[in-house]
């Protein structure tokens, strides 16, 4: 069951520019997480935002959450070539399974050119 | 170092030949999970385990088995692999499988079934 849908599917920018990725989801959530995946590697947790939060920062990352629109955005400021990766949002909607289960979107593939 | 390990990292096999992909974590996590990642489909959960001897189906469990005899290990078993199980597989773990917990991912196992 697909929950999160990232937009755009692919994004190409120059180093130093900001990158914005969006995630939309379908059902009510308790929190939303963003993960990063370097090509063919495991996912790495970036940031979590709870349903009662609207914005959260971590270094060059800024995440917003709009529960009325069921959407979230991830902003990476002053991007670097090393930010090149795929970014996934994941939600943990209760649907009868484990409350720890994460439902991932299909990801945004970010390419930062030096 | 806290980590999730998977073995093998790469595997080529033939249809019908039983195989096991091992997953081990050294963080004393109770929750463990298996995902498969396919182009255009994102990550989909196969099975998860809330604790020793407690396992349950995820979104795409057909053709897979799991076991959780020890807390640290969560092997994925393909009794009779088929070409549609060619995929990139990830094991993940979290502390208790509660809402909002970060999941820690293994490096992935790339499987090709001929």
């Amino acid at each position: 069951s697909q929950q999160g849908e990232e937009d755009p599917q692919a994004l190409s920018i120059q180093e130093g520019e900001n990158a914005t990725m969006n995630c939309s989801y379908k059902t009510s959530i308790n929190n939303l997480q963003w993960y990063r995946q370097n090509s063919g590697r495991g996912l790495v947790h970036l940031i979590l935002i709870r349903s009662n939060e609207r914005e959260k920062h971590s270094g060059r990352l800024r995440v917003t959450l709009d529960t009325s629109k069921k959407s979230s955005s991830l902003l990476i400021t002053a991007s670097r070539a090393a930010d090149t990766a795929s970014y996934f949002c994941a939600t943990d909607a209760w649907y009868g399974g484990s409350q720890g289960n994460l439902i991932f979107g299909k990801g945004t593939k970010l390419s930062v050119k030096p | 170092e806290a980590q999730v390990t998977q073995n093998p990292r790469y595997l080529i096999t033939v249809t019908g030949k039983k195989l096991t992909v091992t997953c081990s974590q050294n963080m004393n996590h109770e929750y463990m999970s298996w995902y498969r990642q396919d182009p255009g489909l994102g990550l989909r959960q196969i099975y998860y385990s809330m604790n020793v001897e407690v396992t349950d189906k995820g979104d795409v469990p057909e053709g897979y088995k799991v076991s959780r005899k020890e807390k640290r290990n969560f092997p994925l078993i393909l009794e009779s692999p088929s070409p549609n199980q060619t995929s990139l597989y990830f094991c993940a773990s979290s502390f208790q499988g509660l809402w909002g917990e970060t999941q820690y991912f293994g490096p992935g196992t790339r499987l090709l079934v001929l």
Side-chain angles (χ1 to χ4, degrees), chain A:
Chain A
S1 53
Q2 207 73 37
Q3 169 77 312
E5 292 285 341
E6 290 89 346
D7 169 59
Q9 290 185 349
L11 179 61
S12 183
I13 59 174
Q14 294 293 134
E15 211 167 25
E17 293 180 340
N18 294 342
T20 300
M21 289 158 269
N22 303 298
C23 169
S24 59
Y25 55 91
K26 297 173 186 171
T27 64
S28 297
I29 62 171
N30 294 289
N31 58 70
L32 184 145
Q33 303 184 41
W34 284 91
Y35 285 79
R36 165 197 168 121
Q37 182 185 31
N38 286 64
S39 181
R41 310 284 288 274
L43 280 74
V44 176
H45 179 260
L46 293 176
I47 195 167
L48 177 149
I49 186 165
R50 301 194 187 281
S51 59
N52 61 354
E53 296 176 312
R54 291 296 166 257
E55 188 170 313
K56 202 161 183 180
H57 297 254
S58 176
R60 293 185 296 112
L61 305 180
R62 174 177 162 249
V63 170
T64 62
L65 179 64
D66 186 336
T67 52
S68 65
K69 294 181 180 177
K70 292 188 169 58
S71 68
S72 172
S73 68
L74 171 67
L75 168 67
I76 304 175
T77 59
S79 64
R80 306 165 183 167
D83 294 328
T84 294
S86 291
Y87 293 83
F88 294 85
C89 68
T91 58
D92 60 352
W94 177 273
Y95 61 101
S98 164
Q99 60 182 339
N101 291 357
L102 290 180
I103 307 171
F104 286 86
K106 296 178 183 178
T108 292
K109 195 167 186 176
L110 174 66
S111 175
V112 182
K113 298 177 181 175

Side-chain angles (χ1 to χ4, degrees), chain B residues 1-45:
Chain B
E1 180 192 351
Q3 60 182 350
V4 178
T5 57
Q6 294 178 227
N7 281 292
R9 294 289 314 281
Y10 304 91
L11 181 58
I12 301 174
T13 189
V14 295
T15 299
K17 187 176 181 183
K18 181 180 178 179
L19 65 93
T20 299
V21 184
T22 64
C23 172
S24 183
Q25 49 91 8
N26 63 1
M27 295 169 278
N28 202 35
H29 285 170
E30 292 183 358
Y31 179 91
M32 297 185 75
S33 179
W34 275 103
Y35 296 88
R36 60 177 289 173
Q37 184 177 29
D38 302 287
L41 296 176
L43 280 93
R44 295 176 294 168
Q45 189 178 52

Side-chain angles (χ1 to χ4, degrees), chain B residues 43-113:
Chain B
L43 280 93
R44 295 176 294 168
Q45 189 178 52
I46 303 171
Y47 268 95
Y48 65 94
S49 170
M50 294 297 288
N51 213 325
V52 175
E53 303 291 3
V54 181
T55 63
D56 210 342
K57 297 177 181 178
D59 290 327
V60 288
E62 294 77 22
Y64 304 95
K65 284 175 58 176
V66 292
S67 69
R68 187 91 182 272
K69 294 187 170 60
E70 305 166 282
K71 199 171 187 178
R72 63 182 294 130
N73 297 323
F74 190 45
L76 179 69
I77 302 155
L78 284 72
E79 295 265 354
S80 182
S82 62
N84 65 11
Q85 292 178 300
T86 292
S87 187
L88 179 58
Y89 291 87
F90 290 102
C91 180
S93 72
S94 69
F95 184 48
Q96 288 182 306
L98 300 178
W99 284 316
E101 285 183 353
T102 298
Q103 289 201 10
Y104 296 84
F105 282 79
T109 294
R110 194 171 288 279
L111 172 65
L112 173 61
V113 183

